[in-house]
Amino acid sequence: MANYPKYYTIWHKLGVNGLKLTAWLVLLFLMLPIIVVIPLSFNAEPYFTFTKEMLSLQPGAYSMRWYAEILHDEKWLMAIKNSFYIGILSALIATVLGTCASVGLTNPKMPYQRLIMAVLLSPMIVPVIITAAGMFFFYSKFGLAGSHLGIIIAHAALGTPFVVVTVNAALAGFDYSLVNASMGMGARPIYTFVKVIMPLIRPGVISGALFAFVTSFDEVVVVLFMAGPQQTTIPRQMFSGLREQINPTILAVATLLVVVSALLLFTMEYLRARGQRIRGGQV
């Protein structure tokens, strides 16, 4: 039994329990479509539904068959390799650009801060399909469409706003007198950035890098516009699989993506909490 304050009436208790029930229903509404993929990925039969044997929990109804097929399918292996290759490089570029932009924008002497910030965050607001179409026509003039480099640059542009947001949050309340003190003692700007600014904003920078990586890892619209057969990523391969040949291997790949996303989410939450402790002076 829950312990309620003595002044709670029956209506207070009903309100609290109703709020808890609503929260659980919202959580189920959000998570159920994701969670249901996991047991289906272990289906021994080539179906996208639960069989009678699965519902009765018979061991023979479950198998690692579809996970093994990933390792023997060249298309999936190439898609996994491309996703990590493009995701890591685009995240690195986005992290460098976003961090530099945030440090400059949080400087009190920077003019037109709000206007520049709005422009930097515009890729988060503009529909992705419009951005993808614009990127395709723009990059095609430079021969970047249908190349790894073109997709890396495009994904870096999509990931940079997330880095700007997280680093900006890390720089909130930053004491620029520390920078002035460092410069006043003869330190060069790069040394001041590495030794004074970076240690304080490192959790925000890493969180932004992870956001940028996830943005690239899950992105499919830009890839549909710009990728050729050799630049196929995991989302593009899943999209093609659903259209051309429905195969439960997609469920196994989706489960692996859920696991990777969950690990990145826990890492970002840990870094967010660590950043708060640093700003609070508890570390």
Side-chain angles (χ1 to χ4, degrees):
M1 292 287 292
N3 292 323
Y4 298 104
K6 292 182 179 178
Y7 58 84
Y8 264 36
T9 64
I10 184 65
W11 297 109
H12 285 114
K13 296 176 182 177
L14 286 175
V16 170
N17 288 318
L19 185 62
K20 289 181 180 177
L21 179 62
T22 304
W24 278 109
L25 290 176
V26 171
L27 184 63
L28 284 176
F29 175 74
L30 294 175
M31 297 301 298
L32 204 56
I34 300 173
I35 295 174
V36 75
V37 170
I38 298 175
L40 282 175
S41 69
F42 294 99
N43 192 349
E45 302 297 330
Y47 305 134
F48 278 70
T49 57
F50 290 100
T51 60
K52 291 181 180 178
E53 291 78 8
M54 290 185 74
L55 294 175
S56 57
L57 300 179
Q58 294 182 16
Y62 295 88
S63 167
M64 297 291 289
R65 170 186 177 183
W66 309 113
Y67 290 90
E69 287 207 3
I70 297 173
L71 301 176
H72 296 90
D73 191 321
E74 292 184 359
K75 290 182 178 178
W76 281 114
L77 293 177
M78 183 179 70
I80 293 170
K81 177 184 174 184
N82 282 334
S83 286
F84 278 99
Y85 176 68
I86 294 170
I88 291 172
L89 289 182
S90 63
L92 287 174
I93 296 171
T95 303
V96 173
L97 296 178
T99 303
C100 292
S102 294
V103 172
L105 284 171
T106 51
N107 191 319
K109 298 178 182 178
M110 181 74 185
Y112 308 112
Q113 290 181 347
R114 292 186 178 180
L115 176 62
I116 298 172
M117 179 65 80
V119 173
L120 283 174
L121 300 184
S122 59
M124 299 174 69
I125 302 169
V126 177
V128 180
I129 192 164
I130 295 176
T131 305
M135 286 178 170
F136 172 73
F137 289 115
F138 181 75
Y139 292 154
S140 294
K141 294 183 178 179
F142 299 96
L144 293 174
S147 69
H148 284 92
L149 180 60
I151 300 174
I152 289 169
I153 295 173
H155 280 186
L158 295 177
T160 298
F162 293 96
V163 181
V164 171
V165 170
T166 56
V167 177
N168 253 21
L171 282 167
F174 180 78
D175 186 2
Y176 272 88
S177 64
L178 297 174
V179 177
N180 296 331
S182 175
M183 300 286 282
M185 295 177 70
R188 294 181 177 180
I190 294 178
Y191 186 87
T192 300
F193 175 77
V194 173
K195 295 295 184 181
V196 178
I197 300 176
M198 194 50 141
L200 295 174
I201 66 172
R202 187 178 293 124
V205 173
I206 298 174
S207 294
L210 292 176
F211 269 118
F213 175 77
V214 171
T215 300
S216 169
F217 204 70
D218 291 341
E219 204 285 324
V220 66
V221 180
V222 171
V223 175
L224 284 173
F225 272 84
M226 296 191 58
Q230 296 303 314
Q231 291 83 43
T232 300
T233 59
I234 293 175
R236 168 75 184 272
Q237 183 62 28
M238 293 176 74
F239 185 78
S240 301
L242 287 172
R243 282 198 316 165
E244 299 166 3
Q245 182 182 5
I246 296 178
N247 189 315
T249 308
I250 295 172
L251 299 176
V253 176
T255 301
L256 294 176
L257 288 179
V258 169
V259 172
V260 171
S261 299
L263 291 174
L264 291 175
L265 181 65
F266 285 126
T267 304
M268 287 188 283
E269 178 59 22
Y270 169 77
L271 292 171
R272 186 195 63 78
R274 179 177 168 78
Q276 285 186 339
R277 290 199 300 271
I278 290 176
R279 286 197 297 276
Q282 297 178 12
V283 172

